[in-house]
Amino acid sequence: MDTQFKKGVIEVCVLNEIKKADNYGYNLVKSLSRVLEIGESTIYTMLRKLTNEGNLDVYEKAGSDGPRRKYYTLTNNGEHKLFLLVNEWEVFIKKINNLIGGLTDE
Amino acid sequence: MSKNDFMNQLEVLLRVKKEDKDSILEEYDSYFTEATSDGATEQEVVEMLETPKEIAATANDELGTTKSEDMKGYIKAQVDIAKKSIENSVDLIDIDGLVSNVNKTVSETMESIKKNSILEGIGEKMSEVIDKLKSIDYGKNNNGEQDYSNSKIDKVDIKGNKLIISINDENSSKIGVRITQGTEQELISMTIPNIVKNTFELIEDGETVQYLVPKTSIQLAQRKRVKLLIPTHIEDLTINSKCPLSVKGIELENLAVKVNNVPVSISDIEGGIVELNMGNGPLSVKDLEVDKFYIDNGNGPVSIKNIESEEIRLECLDGPISIKDVESDEFVAKLGSGPLSIKDMKGVKHSYSMGSGPKSIKDIDVEDLLVEASGGIISMRDVKTKLLDGDITGSVKSLRRIDAEVDKLRK
């Protein structure tokens, strides 16, 4: 996958993962980096970028079993952004499926 | 790489806004905390993560400043990292500590030579010989003092296991020589050439040998230790020894020592040319004031301290080497690997050519300095010179307080 494409995917996945539940960096890296086959730096950088853009908020919370952690939560902006991205994604997938389907039919 | 190194490198490499940098560093710090509490070692965490370079590349690309700033920053960061890691590793290795250990080893070896010297008394006895020689009237020199220069010991050789003292005085006939071996007073095999015939049988009465002879030859059993203490002026001293050797307190024209794989200690020598041809084995040279000084040494610890000479040439293979307090117009050292320390050097033209292994060069005040190092780690501190030349590109470097009017050193 080319990097621009991948970045888009990662953005969606990170936002979606946080939408499911507020989450902290280490956990996000563990759940996403293997599936997406990307290094942790991409996720950390993405978290930073999304925070800078106002799509994520950060708060600190001490876990019951662990140390104080920095949690990421979705802002309204972020929620809207995720909605748009998911839409875009679905449209994009449809187009691709049509294209690939068309090719394989030949 | 340790967590500290990892974090340090990352900090230097990240060229992003402060908030971004702090946040990313914080995330990585907590990654270490989380992963280690999950059971991974620090080292394993470092291995599972991307390298600081990769991380910084990703972050700088997405969050960083403009490209040209990036490049400048990147270069500066690389330089900073290199500096930091060199300083850390050089300090870590503690060259001075290593070298002081070397000095300790050498001096301990030398002490043990002295302590275990089977022929402990020989030096004193030799002094007696010399004293008696001195009591002979050789005539006066211009200052009204005894002039020993024409007629006295003109050669002392230790060849193989023989000590040969050549006495250039055919008129004298009374001198006593007694050798003490260990704590037992006994004569070891000894031949004394006749004044006339040049050969003489030893009187083996275990006591005093009552002859003054032009040549004295003492058989020394191999591997025994010899301590030679001759506080007088000698024209020519050649020592070709298989015994551990300690030569101390001689004023002479020429000293040539050729030994193989035995510890040697040379100290307090004043005179012309000193030439040491060693095999392996510890060598300690101390307090020399000579015209020329040459050393050819194999492996093994070498300690050279407090030398004043017009010219010094030093060739040593591997092994810890410490050179300290040397004042020499011309100084050429070709040294192998192993920890090396060169400290407190003065002179006109010095050249230090060194192999791999940790090297420390410190407190140098030389007009013309050439430094070559073929790898390892090199630390240079407090160097003052007019012209600095050479090549240390292959070494990890830490240079501080280098004051060179012209600096041609290829780093």
Side-chain angles (χ1 to χ4, degrees):
Chain A
M1 274 195 285
D2 93 75
T3 43
Q4 275 308 319
F5 178 78
K6 211 164 181 176
K7 260 180 215 161
V9 177
I10 294 158
E11 197 171 26
V12 177
C13 294
V14 168
L15 286 169
N16 194 57
E17 199 68 16
I18 295 169
K19 195 193 173 196
K20 285 193 245 167
D22 292 357
N23 212 337
Y24 54 97
Y26 178 68
N27 215 9
L28 286 165
V29 165
K30 279 217 297 190
S31 51
L32 291 176
S33 63
R34 192 171 304 166
V35 180
L36 297 175
E37 292 175 23
I38 47 165
E40 79 288 339
S41 70
T42 312
I43 293 169
Y44 286 135
T45 304
M46 183 58 72
L47 287 169
R48 207 45 225 159
K49 187 169 157 267
L50 289 168
T51 308
N52 285 342
E53 288 167 358
N55 295 313
L56 294 177
D57 246 348
V58 178
Y59 64 94
E60 273 191 32
K61 194 176 90 178
S64 52
D65 56 334
R68 261 191 105 67
R69 289 174 174 135
K70 208 166 86 170
Y71 278 82
Y72 293 90
T73 186
L74 224 52
T75 60
N76 288 339
N77 254 350
E79 211 149 339
H80 184 62
K81 168 117 184 165
L82 176 62
F83 173 76
L84 292 177
L85 284 174
V86 170
N87 261 331
E88 265 178 47
W89 177 251
E90 280 167 355
V91 171
F92 176 72
I93 292 293
K94 245 178 224 166
K95 281 183 185 166
I96 295 290
N97 277 341
N98 285 341
L99 196 61
I100 296 171
L103 284 172
T104 43
D105 275 353
E106 261 182 343
Chain B
M1 191 179 358
S2 69
K3 179 192 168 187
N4 259 349
D5 287 343
F6 181 95
M7 295 300 288
N8 281 341
Q9 286 194 19
L10 184 57
E11 186 180 352
V12 182
L13 284 170
L14 282 172
R15 318 301 300 179
V16 294
K17 283 196 310 228
K18 192 176 179 307
E19 308 99 271
D20 290 338
K21 191 186 223 177
D22 290 347
S23 166
I24 288 170
L25 288 173
E26 195 186 329
E27 286 291 2
Y28 274 95
D29 189 60
S30 63
Y31 192 105
F32 273 96
T33 313
E34 299 275 2
T36 44
S37 77
D38 281 352
T41 65
E42 224 174 66
Q43 190 55 42
E44 283 165 348
V45 178
V46 170
E47 277 159 24
M48 66 176 84
L49 291 169
E50 291 166 88
T51 67
K53 210 168 151 183
E54 288 164 343
I55 297 160
T58 310
N60 294 349
D61 198 37
E62 279 297 309
L63 309 166
T65 40
T66 65
K67 284 283 169 203
S68 71
E69 274 173 291
D70 267 2
M71 191 46 76
K72 258 196 255 169
Y74 180 74
I75 291 166
K76 186 178 176 299
Q78 287 292 347
V79 172
D80 285 350
I81 281 188
K83 273 189 193 161
K84 221 169 185 173
S85 75
I86 288 161
E87 279 161 21
N88 286 343
S89 59
V90 169
D91 290 345
L92 215 77
I93 283 176
D94 185 12
I95 293 175
D96 285 344
L98 263 178
V99 170
S100 73
N101 277 342
V102 173
N103 288 337
K104 213 171 134 208
T105 315
V106 173
S107 68
E108 273 170 6
T109 312
M110 294 309 159
E111 276 305 307
S112 88
I113 297 173
K114 285 173 195 162
K115 216 185 263 172
N116 300 324
S117 180
I118 293 165
L119 297 170
E120 184 64 44
I122 192 172
E124 290 154 38
K125 298 305 161 193
M126 293 306 299
S127 315
E128 279 176 28
V129 176
I130 282 38
D131 283 346
K132 290 200 175 155
L133 279 171
K134 280 182 169 174
S135 72
I136 299 160
D137 190 357
Y138 294 112
K140 302 276 198 300
N141 64 13
N142 293 340
N143 299 327
E145 296 158 348
Q146 281 283 331
D147 185 4
Y148 300 124
S149 59
N150 298 323
S151 178
K152 59 179 169 84
I153 293 181
D154 64 4
K155 200 165 188 201
V156 179
D157 286 346
I158 297 179
K159 280 190 178 157
N161 52 7
K162 277 184 187 172
L163 172 68
I164 301 158
I165 303 169
S166 309
I167 300 162
N168 179 17
D169 191 329
E170 299 189 359
N171 302 320
S172 310
S173 60
K174 279 180 191 165
I175 198 84
V177 178
R178 186 174 55 187
I179 309 295
T180 308
Q181 188 171 1
T183 50
E184 294 165 31
Q185 291 226 340
E186 60 173 286
L187 278 165
I188 53 174
S189 160
M190 185 181 211
T191 53
I192 303 173
N194 186 283
I195 299 165
V196 184
K197 292 179 180 172
N198 247 3
T199 54
F200 206 87
E201 285 301 310
L202 169 70
I203 302 169
E204 290 195 20
D205 63 355
E207 292 298 324
T208 310
V209 185
Q210 298 189 352
Y211 297 92
L212 174 67
V213 291
K215 279 191 179 173
T216 303
S217 166
I218 303 170
Q219 297 273 356
L220 298 175
Q222 214 165 309
R223 309 304 300 174
K224 286 189 177 161
R225 288 146 176 89
V226 182
K227 188 171 160 191
L228 194 58
L229 251 162
I230 310 175
T232 185
H233 185 98
I234 298 172
E235 299 273 327
D236 222 329
L237 176 61
T238 309
I239 299 173
N240 191 331
S241 177
K242 288 177 183 167
C243 310
L245 188 71
S246 162
V247 183
K248 194 179 168 191
I250 307 178
E251 194 182 311
L252 79 175
E253 296 297 323
N254 295 301
L255 170 65
V257 175
K258 190 163 187 189
V259 297
N260 199 13
N261 303 345
V262 295
V264 173
S265 159
I266 313 267
S267 65
D268 200 9
I269 308 278
E270 207 177 306
I273 300 172
V274 173
E275 200 172 344
L276 307 180
N277 202 321
M278 308 267 304
N280 304 325
L283 169 68
S284 160
V285 185
K286 207 169 87 165
D287 304 324
L288 257 59
E289 201 182 322
V290 295
D291 296 340
K292 292 182 194 321
F293 180 40
Y294 305 115
I295 296 182
D296 190 348
N297 190 49
N299 300 320
V302 176
S303 162
I304 294 169
K305 204 177 157 189
N306 192 20
I307 315 285
E308 218 175 289
S309 179
E310 287 165 17
E311 184 188 333
I312 297 176
R313 285 178 192 279
L314 195 57
E315 264 188 66
C316 297
L317 296 179
D318 300 346
I321 297 166
S322 159
I323 301 168
K324 194 167 183 288
D325 287 320
V326 174
E327 197 173 338
S328 178
D329 287 349
E330 197 179 350
F331 183 94
V332 180
K334 285 182 190 162
L335 311 173
S337 307
L340 310 173
S341 163
I342 302 180
K343 195 166 183 282
D344 296 316
M345 306 289 286
K346 276 186 197 155
V348 183
K349 194 170 176 176
H350 283 204
S351 150
Y352 312 143
S353 160
M354 299 162 291
S356 53
K359 295 165 277 285
S360 162
I361 296 177
K362 194 164 185 285
D363 297 315
I364 315 288
D365 187 353
V366 168
E367 278 183 29
D368 198 344
L369 180 63
L370 181 86
V371 179
E372 308 266 358
S374 68
I377 292 169
I378 185 164
S379 151
M380 287 173 73
R381 302 268 190 281
D382 302 291
V383 174
K384 191 169 177 291
T385 180
K386 282 186 182 155
L387 173 64
L388 181 61
D389 202 349
D391 191 341
I392 55 170
T393 41
S395 295
V396 179
K397 295 160 276 285
S398 166
L399 311 180
R400 283 188 208 156
R401 298 181 295 277
I402 309 293
D403 175 7
E405 285 176 26
V406 181
D407 188 348
K408 289 191 191 166
L409 183 65
R410 287 174 295 288
K411 305 172 188 88

